[in-house]
Amino acid sequence: MPSPGAPLVLVFFLAFVSLFAVHASAAGAESPFLLAAARTHRKDPLAGLRYYTGGWNISSEHYWASVGFSAAPVFAAAGIWFAVFGAALFLAGCCYCCCPSRSTSYSRAGLVISFALLLLFTAAAVVGCAILYDGQGRFHGSTSATVDYVVKQSGDTVDNLRTFTGYLEAAKAAGVGPVSLPDDLKGRIDDVVRKIGSASDVLAARTASNSAKIRDALDTIRTILIVLAAGMLILAFAGLVLSACGLESLVYVLVFLAWIMVAATFVLCGTFLLLHNVVGDTCEAMGEWVRHPQEHTALDDILPCVDTAAATEALSRGKEVNYRLVAVLNGVISNVSNADFPPGAPPSPPLYYNQSGPPMPLLCNLYTPDLHDRACAPGEVVGPDAARQAWGTHACKTDGSGQVCATTGRLTPSMLEQMVGAANVSYGLSRYGPVLTDLADCSFVRRAFQAVGKDHCPGLGRYSEQVYRGLLAVAVAVLLSVLLWVLHSRERRKRSDAREMELVAPAPPMYRHGYPVEEKALLYSPRRPSM
């Protein structure tokens, strides 16, 4: 069974899978909702050439067999060329060694026509190399942009998770004076922080490792395509020049090289055709998966959001910490800061520090005791900025100890900073809670797939097809050029041999009145008398 991370297309389109997922299973093959069912309706060689009906499913060997069979004609062409032309080269070599012949009969029309066709196919090879070079550049740019986008999304997810755990850690230390969260809740915070921190580290490490491997693979493919385009271009021109000069021995050396390079080009062409087909399948599957979020599909078995226990626990713990922290903060405000002590009572921090003046507003608690969403009551402050502004007007100036108010106010400056810090932690937990929700219900993957399908899929499909067409054009043009190299160089050699024989051969004897005339015989004949 093909591995989910093996083909290059998964690198481009399911980078989230390769970065986040654990293991794919074959359960997706039994999914009631088939992705890209019409597009993947191809003949399956593993099922007796019956049509594959399982839809897009990278966990199914029948899917890979059917999509691979779509490129079978190109791979068959590579095999036929390699076998047939190789056998022809072997037989030609045997005949040349065992039965050498030097025929001097040639056709001028054949010479002209073969040279004209050779020019035509060499030009076609040049055009194919240009298409290939341009296509590989665009393909590399498009795939690199897709990888960059996926890596950025992964990095943002890691940063959000680490920020969330940072707020959880800050909540353990948050409080006012000696009042803080209970110890049992702090222990549960440590468990959640450890789990999320471990997941973030694994995700960051996997992202860095896989992105490096992906970029190395892209650079390797680009180098292979550039070298192949340059090599085929040089080969086409060299064959044209040598065959035009009639250097038959050197032409046969190029023919041997071309035999191997054309076969390799056909194989690479078939590979890119397969890649192009999987590109289209995957893009269509992602689009259908986004449009049917409630259906169980093959994608569900390899995406990270199928296991939501950790994300759900972290989300629930974040709500609990947020609720308890705001409750502690509001308890201090209600029972300490807004408390009125008898006039003249001696200060006894931290409960009585000579606080006085109008009462402070409470901080809005976004959750009920059972952790459901709660609307803010009138007069409650929301967020750290509003809290600092509202509570700052209730801050007093302290005496030399810094713990007792010397002027009217409900808070000392140190208490104000602690309470604003706790409000900031509460705001951070509520702000990054939706990140965990996105992780739990796979919303972040859906948004990423939407962006990839809209911004990257069209270019990837178009440029992979351009590379495939360029490879096919180059392979066919050079293949036909090879045959014309042999034909034209032989005709050139025959014409050259014929001219040499004409120069070396003796002149034919002269005849007069039907009888041969000896050379210079007329020089010794008697002179006729003059009249």
Side-chain angles (χ1 to χ4, degrees), residues 216-441:
D216 289 343
L218 293 178
D219 292 340
T220 300
I221 291 174
R222 184 179 191 181
T223 301
I224 291 174
L225 293 177
I226 291 176
V227 170
L228 181 65
M232 296 296 269
L233 186 62
I234 294 173
L235 194 66
F237 274 113
L240 173 65
V241 173
L242 294 180
S243 59
C245 295
L247 302 176
E248 195 173 6
S249 299
L250 295 179
V251 166
Y252 278 116
V253 174
L254 290 183
V255 167
F256 179 78
L257 295 177
W259 169 53
I260 298 175
M261 291 188 67
V262 168
T265 305
F266 271 122
V267 171
L268 196 58
C269 178
T271 302
F272 262 88
L273 176 58
L274 186 151
L275 173 64
H276 172 71
N277 289 334
V278 181
V279 164
D281 294 349
T282 308
C283 284
E284 186 167 333
M286 288 192 303
E288 292 184 2
W289 184 76
V290 170
R291 292 191 296 271
H292 300 83
Q294 304 303 324
E295 299 288 350
H296 177 66
T297 67
L299 270 173
D300 298 335
D301 297 299
I302 55 177
L303 289 177
C305 47
V306 294
D307 184 10
T308 61
T312 303
E313 180 185 359
L315 180 61
S316 176
R317 195 68 60 221
K319 289 183 177 181
E320 181 184 5
V321 170
N322 199 344
Y323 169 77
R324 299 285 290 273
L325 180 62
V326 176
V328 167
L329 192 59
N330 286 339
V332 172
I333 294 175
S334 299
N335 300 322
V336 178
S337 297
N338 286 344
D340 292 324
F341 288 83
S348 57
L351 296 179
Y352 177 50
Y353 45 90
N354 200 25
Q355 61 267 44
S356 61
M360 292 173 51
L362 299 178
L363 181 65
C364 176
N365 200 329
L366 299 177
Y367 304 105
T368 61
D370 57 357
L371 304 183
H372 289 95
D373 293 340
R374 170 186 174 273
C376 295
E380 293 180 337
V381 294
V382 181
D385 294 336
R388 179 178 292 277
Q389 182 178 1
W391 294 341
T393 60
H394 296 273
C396 66
K397 293 183 179 181
T398 60
D399 59 8
S401 66
Q403 297 181 352
V404 178
C405 286
T407 62
T408 301
R410 292 288 178 177
L411 292 174
T412 64
S414 61
M415 292 177 64
L416 175 62
E417 294 302 322
Q418 290 175 343
M419 295 176 73
V420 171
N424 185 60
V425 171
S426 171
Y427 174 75
L429 290 174
S430 63
R431 178 185 177 187
Y432 285 93
V435 174
L436 296 177
T437 304
D438 286 351
L439 288 174
D441 64 9

Side-chain angles (χ1 to χ4, degrees), residues 501-527:
M501 293 185 65
E502 289 178 359
L503 295 176
V504 173
M510 298 177 63
Y511 288 83
R512 186 177 183 182
H513 302 295
Y515 296 96
V517 179
E518 184 181 355
E519 185 179 2
K520 296 183 180 180
L522 296 177
L523 296 177
Y524 304 103
S525 60
R527 296 180 62 185

Side-chain angles (χ1 to χ4, degrees), residues 487-507:
L487 177 62
H488 188 72
S489 61
R490 286 175 63 87
E491 292 298 313
R492 284 275 184 178
R493 191 260 303 165
K494 289 179 179 180
R495 189 182 70 170
S496 177
D497 291 348
R499 289 182 176 179
E500 289 181 2
M501 293 185 65
E502 289 178 359
L503 295 176
V504 173

Side-chain angles (χ1 to χ4, degrees), residues 95-109:
C95 292
Y96 183 81
C97 295
C98 300
C99 306
S101 62
R102 302 288 291 184
S103 173
T104 58
S105 174
Y106 71 96
S107 170
R108 291 186 177 182

Side-chain angles (χ1 to χ4, degrees), residues 1-4 6 24-26 58-62 64:
M1 178 184 294
S3 170
S25 67
I58 62 172
S59 302
S60 171
E61 61 183 5
H62 291 279
W64 289 110

